[in-house]
Amino acid sequence: MARRRSKQLKLSALYSFALCHRGSSEDHSRIGTAGFSRVVYVNEPDKHEEEFKYPLNEVSTTKYTLVTFLPKSLFEQFRRVANFYFLVSGILALTPLAPYTAVSALAPLCVVIVATMAKEGVEDWRRKQQDHALNNRIVKVHRGNGNFEETKWKNIKVGDVIKVEKDNFFPADMILLSSNYLDGICYVETMNLDGETNLKIKQALDVTLDLQEDTKFRYVRQTIKCEDPNANLYSFVGTMEWKGRQYPLSPQQLLLRDSKLRNTDYVYGTVIFTGHDTKAMQNATDPPSKRSKIEKKMDKIIYLLMSTLLMIALLGSVLFGIWTKEDLRDGELKRWYLRPDATTIFYDPKRAALASFFHLLTALMLYSYFIPISLYISIEMVKILQALFINQDIEMYHEESDKPTRARTSNLNEELGMVDTILSDKTGTLTCNMMEFIKCSIAGTAYGQGVTEVERAMAMRKGAWLDGDIENGDKEKRIDHSPHVKGFNFKDPRIMDGNWVHEPNRDIIRDFFRLLAICHTCIPEIDDETDKVSYEAESPDEAAFVIAARELGFEFYQRTRKSIIVRERDPNQNVVRERKYELLNILEFSSSRKRMSVVVKEPEGRILLLSKGADSVMFKRLASTGRKFEEETRRHINEYADSGLRTLVLAYRVLEEKEYKEFNEKFNTAKTSVSADRDEQIEVAADSIERDLLLLGATAVEDKLQKGVPECIDKLAQAGIKIWVLTGDKMETAINIGFACSLLRQGMTQIIITLEQHDIIALEKNGDKQTIAKASKRRVMDQIEDGIEQIPPPTQFSSESFALIIDGKSLTYALEDDLKFKFLDLAIKCASVICCRSSPKQKALVTRLVKEVTHKVTLAIGDGANDVGMLQEADIGAVMASDLAIAQFRFLERLLLVHGHWCYRRISVMICYFFYKNVTFGVTIFLYEAFASFSGKPAYNDWFLSLYNVFFTSLPVIALGVFDQDVSARLCLQYPELYQEGVQNVLFSWHRILGWMFNGVMNAILIFFFCIAAFEDQAFRQNGQVAGLDALGVVMYTCIVWVVNCQMALSVNYFTIIQHIFIWGSIAVWYLFLLAYGAINPGLSKTAYMVFIEQLAPALSYWLVTLFVVMATLVPYFSYAAIQIRFFPMFHNKIQWKRYLGKAEDPEVARQLSSRHRISSQQRMVGISARCDGKTMQITREAEREVQE
């Protein structure tokens, strides 16, 4: 492999502004006060142990320790009301009140608790292993006399001097002292901290630049005073004492733990924060606890069951008390066979009230089987397996980046099938964040014949085909055989291949591309074998500009100590000449300045200020003589914005020697200042020189849409999911990206809310803040109310669709308490919502508003640090810093429509079935107790009761939760309207939940009375014996096991071998258990002793009753299901029927079925399909007019 080299360079002058403007605006005079009291002795780590006792660098992210695991984990388990209830029941089982043995009551609880604790322990052990691997990473630490030794991260101390090499992570928060570059710059990747993949430039102070060898640290002794540990990643205040002088420190010298050194051979730094004091660990708080709506509803169902349980226990206890009191009246024994005259306190007629209270406690224990003890652990197991299937889905694997989809939490699986609104960032989410130079305007002439995706979308809107019009020529001529250059998609023969020399403004064109080659902060990397140059840049925009200059004959080649070399190709003589520019200063780009400038000296001796920036600031800085092409350039910039391109204006000026010296003196004085207004002084100095510029032109780069975004949005829109775009881009760019991805379309009414209006702008120039705010708020309110009036009421059918577009200024007022509900009302009524110029805080507030007011599931998707608040506010966050990581936006289609639908359906049916089977079991217990005068006697053996939820009915429901499919993945995508079943929550509505419970009650009644009728009086064995309690209990239990498992078989839509094994295996296990348990000593097996082998198995009536009861019990449900599917089918039933007929995959059948099912015309208001529908309707109307005429 060819070896690359980066030229050694000194950029201290080049980055002088960067070092300053990124510094904190905090007053360095606060050093030493509260919050700024940190003192670090460089190269003297042991000195801190005496004075400060700073923590070591070992970190722990585990939830438990060996000491705290048992108490904390038990506390977590018994916070769940159901588990606490079973614990109380288990404790009461130790008393004589218990209707069963304590062991049989506590064993299932112990199994569930131990299983859950084991899961928690395994997860925490994994975190422990990750911490161990992290803490034992190796880094070189200075150990005296200029010797650096390999040391584990966990042994690093504050004050240590560390040497970090290329592509390694920083082990702690450090102050950069020097690097292999002569001026101490280095490149840092902070993706682990903020999700940003762009490299950041850091630079050491000038006074420490010569510390470039290990031996030079032998006598280094410095003192650093700085702020105390805090979570702010983007600010830092400190000073370094060097040879008696104080030098200010800023974030530009701060290297954060968990960031990575890139494109730099090595750096030296001193540790200031270790372990949990580091900014990364200060930010490592637990994310907001997110529980799905189904899980919250499940808690309500448990409360409902517990309330029901308490009511029937009270009812039974009251009746028991009445009947017990009547057992002894006037000295006469009513139920003499119970011997009420010689009984314990629990049945004493003389103390009936107390006996009734004791019975209440007994009943509460007995009816505990209404509550499914294994529900929580079963759901957790199912969700983990569901997440595993999501992670392993090859259809959601992005081969180019080698990134699969990752479900970081399984708590929200079912909510993937209930998403009502998606809130998406634009840059890097809908787009690739890979910039390509595609067009430019130079000297008032537009260059670049490439076609953007937005232009294609606009052409499709107008029914035109753009490629032929723009690129000229027939198909054969449009075929481009030249290799594609990353970052460069420019095509124009007028200035390519050196043809620019024939243009009338060739001098301006030359200066334009020279500016692109010089005005930047890129670092060249040169391949030693091929001598080809590649670039490392802070942003993809920067790289695209330098690459464009190179491809057009102006190659940025090398940086030296104080110069930059550009290799220019002379088209006339076809030779390459090197031009060396002396670098004097660079005033770097910032969000507040919105521009970047470079001061250089040409080989001819002229001093030039080269500047590029946003049109909003650059046109204001043009000289009166430099506006020759302003009107044409503005027009081109507007056209580029309409095409979805990012634009920058390029300008320059020639500086006189005297003028530059005055600026440089002022600038150097400002940057060495340690006063509170240091940044303002620097800004004033920079502002004084960036004036009277001469316009050269403007650049236009394209941030391409990700592959498959329009198609994905179309599918999601057909599924009835609303899509909002929250972006920091300006309105024109966002609107045109909306057209490109089909969120907006021709004929859609745009409701635009903006404060960029003449009267508001004039007021901002002249009025005070209070007047401006009042007028702005009134204008926003008026625009919102006008928008609401435009939209017809729901009762009035209309095919017209609306899009809401609002800018950041207006959004500030729209989100205030007295306006936000009106704003949301308008937004919900619109098919598309685009929020432009949105700040990170506004993104989070909009997300919170939608979630809290609509009570619908929201999903936020973004890629950078500015999206973290939005991601954490939403019910589900996708990509960085949140619940799900997906490599491409288009994977949302399969994630939601397939996995989301499956997970929602599986969890919903699983929970309903859990409650059904427990209600069925619990009601038979209640009925028998009522049949036995509420005596507290259970119908079943103790271990029958205990193992019902653990062995005989639990595995089939887990298999359903993991494997069941109502329709295949292909059909889920073909019928996106099916997704609405989750959005409307039709499978987990109270109607459906209570329906399952009612089914359980009916099944229990049928089982109980059929069994009682069959065995109450008549003999069931050949020798004429009648059934006792032991035989009756086994018969009822057998029927229950058969019924609930067969009910599961009827509920399954997609059988696998695993489901067959679990369903029929659970029934088989019941019979095997009867054999094994019945063979145990009667002291242990009690009523189950030989009951199956000796009594039931030989009796034909046992088998006949089982068969009859099971069939009779299932017939009502089967009949209901058949009627429901035939006369009241749900959408998935219709698809299943078409699949059965072999017509499900017919596109025409799918179209007809979907159109009949569509519940709202708004579902087709956006997307490619809506565009096609709109065009079809337009053609139909025109045809109807022609017929009428």
Side-chain angles (χ1 to χ4, degrees), residues 184-200:
I185 71 158
C186 69
Y187 285 89
V188 175
E189 179 186 275
T190 59
M191 188 173 68
N192 285 352
L193 298 176
D194 57 16
E196 296 286 351
T197 56
N198 298 335
L199 301 183
K200 314 294 190 299

mmCIF file of all heavy atoms in Angstrom, residues 184-200:
data_model
loop_
_atom_site.group_PDB
_atom_site.id
_atom_site.type_symbol
_atom_site.label_atom_id
_atom_site.label_comp_id
_atom_site.label_asym_id
_atom_site.label_seq_id
_atom_site.Cartn_x
_atom_site.Cartn_y
_atom_site.Cartn_z
ATOM 1 N N GLY A 184 2.080 22.471 16.619
ATOM 2 C CA GLY A 184 1.264 21.836 17.651
ATOM 3 C C GLY A 184 -0.195 21.664 17.323
ATOM 4 O O GLY A 184 -1.015 21.567 18.239
ATOM 5 N N ILE A 185 -0.564 21.599 16.043
ATOM 6 C CA ILE A 185 -1.959 21.318 15.736
ATOM 7 C C ILE A 185 -2.176 19.811 15.688
ATOM 8 O O ILE A 185 -1.230 19.034 15.510
ATOM 9 C CB ILE A 185 -2.413 21.947 14.397
ATOM 10 C CG1 ILE A 185 -1.771 21.232 13.208
ATOM 11 C CG2 ILE A 185 -2.156 23.426 14.357
ATOM 12 C CD1 ILE A 185 -2.545 21.436 11.928
ATOM 13 N N CYS A 186 -3.414 19.411 15.846
ATOM 14 C CA CYS A 186 -3.777 18.002 15.686
ATOM 15 C C CYS A 186 -5.227 17.927 15.271
ATOM 16 O O CYS A 186 -6.000 18.875 15.457
ATOM 17 C CB CYS A 186 -3.529 17.211 16.973
ATOM 18 S SG CYS A 186 -4.636 17.613 18.337
ATOM 19 N N TYR A 187 -5.598 16.787 14.692
ATOM 20 C CA TYR A 187 -6.977 16.553 14.263
ATOM 21 C C TYR A 187 -7.633 15.578 15.223
ATOM 22 O O TYR A 187 -7.042 14.546 15.573
ATOM 23 C CB TYR A 187 -7.022 15.988 12.842
ATOM 24 C CG TYR A 187 -6.750 17.020 11.784
ATOM 25 C CD1 TYR A 187 -5.461 17.279 11.347
ATOM 26 C CD2 TYR A 187 -7.795 17.765 11.245
ATOM 27 C CE1 TYR A 187 -5.219 18.234 10.374
ATOM 28 C CE2 TYR A 187 -7.569 18.721 10.274
ATOM 29 C CZ TYR A 187 -6.277 18.957 9.839
ATOM 30 O OH TYR A 187 -6.044 19.904 8.895
ATOM 31 N N VAL A 188 -8.863 15.900 15.598
ATOM 32 C CA VAL A 188 -9.566 15.099 16.601
ATOM 33 C C VAL A 188 -10.949 14.737 16.063
ATOM 34 O O VAL A 188 -11.646 15.574 15.498
ATOM 35 C CB VAL A 188 -9.709 15.882 17.927
ATOM 36 C CG1 VAL A 188 -10.545 15.112 18.918
ATOM 37 C CG2 VAL A 188 -8.335 16.164 18.509
ATOM 38 N N GLU A 189 -11.331 13.476 16.251
ATOM 39 C CA GLU A 189 -12.669 13.016 15.890
ATOM 40 C C GLU A 189 -13.482 12.859 17.171
ATOM 41 O O GLU A 189 -13.083 12.124 18.078
ATOM 42 C CB GLU A 189 -12.587 11.686 15.145
ATOM 43 C CG GLU A 189 -13.932 11.109 14.733
ATOM 44 C CD GLU A 189 -13.793 9.719 14.140
ATOM 45 O OE1 GLU A 189 -13.520 9.617 12.933
ATOM 46 O OE2 GLU A 189 -13.939 8.734 14.897
ATOM 47 N N THR A 190 -14.620 13.526 17.227
ATOM 48 C CA THR A 190 -15.424 13.539 18.467
ATOM 49 C C THR A 190 -16.731 12.771 18.308
ATOM 50 O O THR A 190 -17.690 13.042 19.022
ATOM 51 C CB THR A 190 -15.730 14.992 18.880
ATOM 52 O OG1 THR A 190 -16.446 15.623 17.809
ATOM 53 C CG2 THR A 190 -14.465 15.761 19.168
ATOM 54 N N MET A 191 -16.768 11.802 17.385
ATOM 55 C CA MET A 191 -18.025 11.105 17.099
ATOM 56 C C MET A 191 -18.611 10.446 18.345
ATOM 57 O O MET A 191 -19.821 10.405 18.534
ATOM 58 C CB MET A 191 -17.801 10.061 16.014
ATOM 59 C CG MET A 191 -19.093 9.412 15.513
ATOM 60 S SD MET A 191 -18.858 8.344 14.099
ATOM 61 C CE MET A 191 -17.928 7.015 14.858
ATOM 62 N N ASN A 192 -17.776 9.902 19.233
ATOM 63 C CA ASN A 192 -18.273 9.236 20.441
ATOM 64 C C ASN A 192 -18.916 10.210 21.420
ATOM 65 O O ASN A 192 -19.668 9.794 22.303
ATOM 66 C CB ASN A 192 -17.136 8.502 21.146
ATOM 67 C CG ASN A 192 -16.741 7.229 20.429
ATOM 68 O OD1 ASN A 192 -17.409 6.818 19.489
ATOM 69 N ND2 ASN A 192 -15.668 6.611 20.846
ATOM 70 N N LEU A 193 -18.605 11.505 21.260
ATOM 71 C CA LEU A 193 -19.130 12.498 22.191
ATOM 72 C C LEU A 193 -20.381 13.183 21.662
ATOM 73 O O LEU A 193 -21.357 13.357 22.390
ATOM 74 C CB LEU A 193 -18.059 13.561 22.495
ATOM 75 C CG LEU A 193 -16.783 13.054 23.163
ATOM 76 C CD1 LEU A 193 -15.791 14.191 23.303
ATOM 77 C CD2 LEU A 193 -17.093 12.465 24.531
ATOM 78 N N ASP A 194 -20.336 13.595 20.389
ATOM 79 C CA ASP A 194 -21.454 14.393 19.872
ATOM 80 C C ASP A 194 -22.019 13.872 18.561
ATOM 81 O O ASP A 194 -22.913 14.490 17.985
ATOM 82 C CB ASP A 194 -21.026 15.865 19.702
ATOM 83 C CG ASP A 194 -19.815 16.025 18.784
ATOM 84 O OD1 ASP A 194 -19.490 15.061 18.045
ATOM 85 O OD2 ASP A 194 -19.203 17.103 18.794
ATOM 86 N N GLY A 195 -21.490 12.744 18.065
ATOM 87 C CA GLY A 195 -22.030 12.175 16.841
ATOM 88 C C GLY A 195 -21.495 12.812 15.575
ATOM 89 O O GLY A 195 -21.809 12.367 14.474
ATOM 90 N N GLU A 196 -20.667 13.862 15.697
ATOM 91 C CA GLU A 196 -20.134 14.534 14.520
ATOM 92 C C GLU A 196 -18.942 13.764 13.969
ATOM 93 O O GLU A 196 -18.022 13.415 14.703
ATOM 94 C CB GLU A 196 -19.697 15.965 14.879
ATOM 95 C CG GLU A 196 -20.838 16.864 15.332
ATOM 96 C CD GLU A 196 -21.732 17.291 14.179
ATOM 97 O OE1 GLU A 196 -21.351 17.024 13.020
ATOM 98 O OE2 GLU A 196 -22.795 17.861 14.428
ATOM 99 N N THR A 197 -18.956 13.515 12.644
ATOM 100 C CA THR A 197 -17.841 12.797 12.019
ATOM 101 C C THR A 197 -16.786 13.741 11.463
ATOM 102 O O THR A 197 -15.687 13.306 11.125
ATOM 103 C CB THR A 197 -18.363 11.915 10.867
ATOM 104 O OG1 THR A 197 -19.089 12.737 9.944
ATOM 105 C CG2 THR A 197 -19.303 10.842 11.392
ATOM 106 N N ASN A 198 -17.110 15.022 11.349
ATOM 107 C CA ASN A 198 -16.116 15.968 10.860
ATOM 108 C C ASN A 198 -14.990 16.119 11.868
ATOM 109 O O ASN A 198 -15.206 16.113 13.080
ATOM 110 C CB ASN A 198 -16.758 17.342 10.607
ATOM 111 C CG ASN A 198 -17.825 17.278 9.543
ATOM 112 O OD1 ASN A 198 -17.793 16.399 8.693
ATOM 113 N ND2 ASN A 198 -18.784 18.191 9.602
ATOM 114 N N LEU A 199 -13.767 16.280 11.358
ATOM 115 C CA LEU A 199 -12.613 16.400 12.238
ATOM 116 C C LEU A 199 -12.531 17.816 12.794
ATOM 117 O O LEU A 199 -12.825 18.792 12.106
ATOM 118 C CB LEU A 199 -11.325 16.058 11.481
ATOM 119 C CG LEU A 199 -11.261 14.658 10.864
ATOM 120 C CD1 LEU A 199 -9.898 14.431 10.213
ATOM 121 C CD2 LEU A 199 -11.528 13.588 11.906
ATOM 122 N N LYS A 200 -12.105 17.910 14.052
ATOM 123 C CA LYS A 200 -11.892 19.202 14.701
ATOM 124 C C LYS A 200 -10.384 19.457 14.805
ATOM 125 O O LYS A 200 -9.604 18.532 15.042
ATOM 126 C CB LYS A 200 -12.491 19.216 16.114
ATOM 127 C CG LYS A 200 -13.902 18.642 16.234
ATOM 128 C CD LYS A 200 -14.937 19.447 15.523
ATOM 129 C CE LYS A 200 -16.350 19.004 15.853
ATOM 130 N NZ LYS A 200 -16.681 17.642 15.505
#
